[in-house]
């Protein structure tokens, strides 16, 4: 079973409270989502493999650690996932970025894939799938299915969100039990409209000022 981790660092919790507030404007919301994502990336990347290399300091030759060959790709689920990309890239600037677009069918409420563009070497990369909200879990499962069907290794996928509902965590773990899930907070529940409670509203609308 993959890990489920709530990253409850004080800075992350403080910043999350800032963006939960309904009077937080688009500019601040976007900036703080970026900051939280960078802080979360520090923990999400904790188990990236290292290798020894010989270097020369101003004083002597020495063997020290460097990241080994496992490369990273950040995969936002469109559109809200875009708000988390830059924060991660600030820590891992060499990462490539793929995109998975999903929308919810109004009748069936099932996620429909409309756009997938991935690095060509997706099978060789550690993948951070990012979306601010893990609500019903449908989009997360569909996005991960899309990656695996195109050659991604399930063991190399991590899902990263700001806020999760217990229902969404259960759905994602049932569909992909080996995948690690990282969130800044596990909230109480979904309401009747499948919004996370207490949540932070519609992350996409708040990031892009569309409501």
């Amino acid at each position: 079973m993959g890990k489920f981790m709530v990253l409850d660092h004080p800075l992350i919790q403080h910043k999350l409270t800032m963006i939960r507030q309904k009077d937080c404007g688009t500019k601040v919301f976007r900036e703080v989502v970026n900051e939280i994502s960078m802080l979360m990336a520090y923990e999400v990347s904790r188990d990236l493999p290292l290798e020894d290399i010989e270097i020369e300091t101003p004083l002597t030759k020495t063997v020290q650690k460097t990241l080994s060959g496992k490369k990273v790709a950040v995969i936002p689920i469109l559109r809200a996932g875009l708000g988390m990309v830059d924060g991660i890239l600030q820590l891992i600037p060499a990462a490539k970025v793929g995109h998975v677009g999903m929308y919810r069918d109004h009748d069936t409420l099932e996620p429909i894939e409309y756009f997938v563009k991935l690095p060509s070497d997706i099978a060789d990369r550690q993948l951070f799938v990012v979306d601010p909200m893990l609500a019903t879990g449908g989009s997360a499962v569909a996005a991960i299915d899309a990656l695996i069907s195109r050659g991604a290794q399930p063991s190399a996928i991590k899902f990263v969100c700001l806020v999760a509902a217990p229902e969404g965590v259960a759905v994602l773990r049932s569909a992909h039990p080996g995948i690690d899930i990282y969130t800044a907070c596990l909230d109480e529940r979904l309401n009747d409209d499948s919004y996370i409670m207490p949540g932070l509203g519609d992350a996409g609308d708040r990031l892009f000022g569309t409501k």
Side-chain angles (χ1 to χ4, degrees):
M1 182 66 75
K3 294 182 290 189
F4 175 72
M5 296 190 65
V6 178
L7 305 183
D8 58 355
H9 189 283
L11 287 175
I12 292 175
Q13 296 307 303
H14 172 77
K15 292 176 184 295
L16 186 58
T17 297
M18 291 173 62
I19 61 172
R20 285 188 190 272
Q21 298 176 61
K22 66 180 182 180
D23 58 353
C24 178
T26 299
K27 176 179 182 292
V28 173
F29 190 94
R30 189 181 298 138
E31 290 172 349
V32 175
V33 167
N34 184 67
E35 291 167 2
I36 295 172
S37 302
M38 181 172 61
L39 292 168
M40 292 184 72
Y42 184 82
E43 189 63 40
V44 173
S45 62
R46 178 177 290 277
D47 58 0
L48 288 178
L50 295 169
E51 63 185 9
D52 292 332
I53 62 166
E54 184 177 275
I55 62 169
E56 190 167 353
T57 76
L59 300 177
T60 185
K61 289 184 177 180
T62 178
V63 175
Q64 299 294 331
K65 301 291 184 183
T66 188
L67 289 172
S68 67
K70 191 72 172 179
K71 298 174 182 177
V72 172
V74 184
I75 315 291
I77 301 177
L78 303 179
R79 65 182 167 146
L82 291 171
M84 298 179 65
V85 173
D86 286 348
I88 297 173
L89 292 180
Q90 287 183 56
L91 281 191
I92 314 173
K96 291 188 176 180
V97 180
H99 298 86
V100 176
M102 298 282 168
Y103 71 90
R104 183 178 294 182
D105 184 278
H106 289 300
D107 297 322
T108 67
L109 300 182
E110 292 297 314
I112 306 297
E113 173 190 306
Y114 69 87
F115 181 78
V116 177
K117 183 71 172 178
L118 303 172
S120 59
D121 57 353
I122 197 75
D124 301 322
R125 289 184 177 267
Q126 171 73 63
L127 308 179
F128 299 159
V129 179
V130 298
D131 195 349
M133 316 299 284
L134 177 57
T136 65
S139 294
V141 170
I144 291 168
D145 287 342
L147 296 178
I148 293 172
S149 71
R150 289 166 172 82
Q153 301 299 314
S155 60
I157 298 173
K158 297 175 184 288
F159 183 82
V160 188
C161 62
L162 303 186
V163 180
E167 297 91 334
V169 173
V171 166
L172 180 50
R173 298 201 87 178
S174 175
H176 296 290
I179 286 175
D180 294 340
I181 302 171
Y182 296 81
T183 185
C185 192
L186 180 63
D187 273 13
E188 296 170 10
R189 59 183 174 86
L190 294 179
N191 68 10
D192 292 341
D193 295 320
S194 295
Y195 278 88
I196 300 173
M197 299 292 287
L200 48 76
D202 187 302
D205 284 335
R206 297 193 68 191
L207 278 164
F208 300 113
T210 49
K211 205 168 194 175

